[in-house]
């Protein structure tokens, strides 16, 4: 009988918190200072995931760090991911099926680069662009564990490319939000197929707290329908 691949929760590893605090503090500084670092993250976030999590992967399953769920020929080929519901305690909801992950990540990264390169977008449009990538990365949930750290690194890199300073409340590690934003992200993820982008405005309201600049002032766009709806 073939043994099932092990579960993986990196935060259970010894010294996880102290190691990740050091790594992510340095990463955030590099994102702010180095355009090449930002471009590398947009190009292939698997490299960043491997950099952050390789030392925590099980010895016989190095592919857990730096490979997408759904990667053919690995133990991740059929790994499905669910999360505990904030809205329906005791229930779970599922993220993108593994077989769809690689192609959907390729598409999302192309879209992200296009959004960053769109010089015609105003501040609200850039906030929605940040939210679009943040939400869809979470919906795809490309990694077995550690998705959130890479998701926040991409957010920081996009915000920096847009010229928005990050607020003091933002961090890549530890996670700077809990149930309120988690609930908004669940609403997005569980929206009917084709209607997900209609929920971007709700998530944007929370993500704006992680940005300084124009998002510290009252916003006339509160409640505005997403342009991606």
């Amino acid at each position: 009988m073939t043994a099932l691949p092990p579960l993986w929760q990196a935060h259970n590893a010894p010294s996880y918190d102290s190691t990740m605090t050091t790594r992510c503090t340095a990463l955030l500084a590099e994102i702010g200072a180095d355009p090449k670092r930002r471009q590398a993250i947009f190009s292939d976030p698997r490299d960043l995931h491997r950099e952050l999590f390789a030392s925590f992967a099980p010895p016989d399953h190095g592919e857990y760090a730096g490979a997408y769920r759904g990667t053919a020929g690995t133990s991740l080929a059929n790994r499905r991911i669910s999360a505990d519901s904030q809205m329906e305690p005791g229930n779970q909801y599922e993220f993108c099926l593994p077989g769809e992950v690689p192609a959907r990540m390729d598409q999302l990264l192309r879209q992200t680069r296009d959004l960053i390169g769109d010089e015609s977008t105003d501040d609200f449009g850039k906030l929605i662009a940040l939210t679009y990538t943040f939400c869809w990365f979470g919906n795809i949930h490309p990694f077995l564990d550690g998705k959130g750290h890479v998701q926040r690194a991409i957010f920081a890199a996009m915000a920096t490319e847009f010229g928005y300073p990050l607020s003091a409340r933002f961090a890549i590690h530890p996670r700077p939000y809990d149930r309120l934003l988690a609930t908004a992200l669940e609403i997005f993820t569980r929206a009917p197929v084709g209607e997900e982008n209609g929920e971007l405005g709700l998530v944007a309201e929370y993500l704006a707290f992680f940005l300084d600049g124009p998002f510290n002032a009252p916003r006339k766009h509160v409640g505005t329908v997403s342009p991606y709806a």
Side-chain angles (χ1 to χ4, degrees), residues 7-221:
L7 299 174
W8 185 46
Q9 291 189 312
H11 66 265
N12 289 330
S15 302
Y16 171 81
D17 189 60
S18 60
T19 299
M20 289 300 291
T21 297
T22 299
R23 289 177 182 172
C24 292
T25 299
L27 171 61
L28 191 56
E30 291 164 6
I31 286 172
D34 187 352
K36 291 184 178 179
R37 179 67 145 153
R38 297 194 292 271
Q39 293 305 316
I41 293 171
F42 299 137
S43 176
D44 193 343
R46 288 173 291 192
D47 293 335
L48 177 59
H49 188 264
R50 186 179 302 109
E51 173 188 332
L52 294 177
F53 290 97
S55 64
F56 301 117
D60 296 332
H61 289 80
E63 73 276 14
Y64 281 13
Y68 292 148
R69 293 188 304 119
T71 300
T74 74
S75 62
L76 299 172
N78 298 304
R79 298 296 283 272
R80 299 173 73 157
I81 293 284
S82 299
D84 292 332
S85 173
Q86 300 292 325
M87 300 186 296
E88 299 174 359
N91 293 327
Q92 292 190 326
Y93 63 99
E94 187 170 14
F95 296 101
C96 176
L97 293 175
E100 301 174 9
V101 168
R104 290 180 63 178
M105 278 302 303
D106 286 346
Q107 180 185 38
L108 179 61
L109 292 172
R110 287 195 302 271
Q111 292 172 326
T112 295
R113 291 190 290 269
D114 288 343
L115 291 169
I116 293 169
D118 186 355
E119 297 180 356
S120 66
T121 308
D122 63 9
D123 287 329
F124 177 68
K126 290 176 181 178
L127 175 59
I128 293 297
L130 281 162
T131 306
Y132 180 92
T133 295
F134 192 91
C135 285
W136 279 109
F137 190 93
N139 184 301
I140 296 169
H141 210 296
F143 302 113
L144 192 61
D145 195 15
K147 172 272 302 176
H149 289 76
V150 178
Q151 182 184 37
R152 293 189 289 278
I154 292 174
F155 176 85
M158 284 188 74
T160 303
E161 287 290 302
F162 283 145
Y164 300 137
L166 296 162
S167 72
R169 63 176 66 89
F170 177 81
I172 295 174
H173 181 88
R175 186 175 67 178
Y177 59 85
D178 209 331
R179 292 184 63 186
L180 288 176
L181 182 52
T183 300
L185 291 169
E186 178 179 345
I187 291 170
F188 173 88
T189 301
R190 298 180 66 180
V193 174
E195 298 180 18
E196 299 94 339
N197 290 334
E199 305 297 342
L200 290 176
L202 175 63
V203 182
E205 284 302 300
Y206 293 96
L207 293 183
F209 285 112
F210 298 136
L211 301 170
D212 281 337
F215 306 106
N216 280 335
R219 293 192 301 284
K220 65 180 180 180
H221 294 295

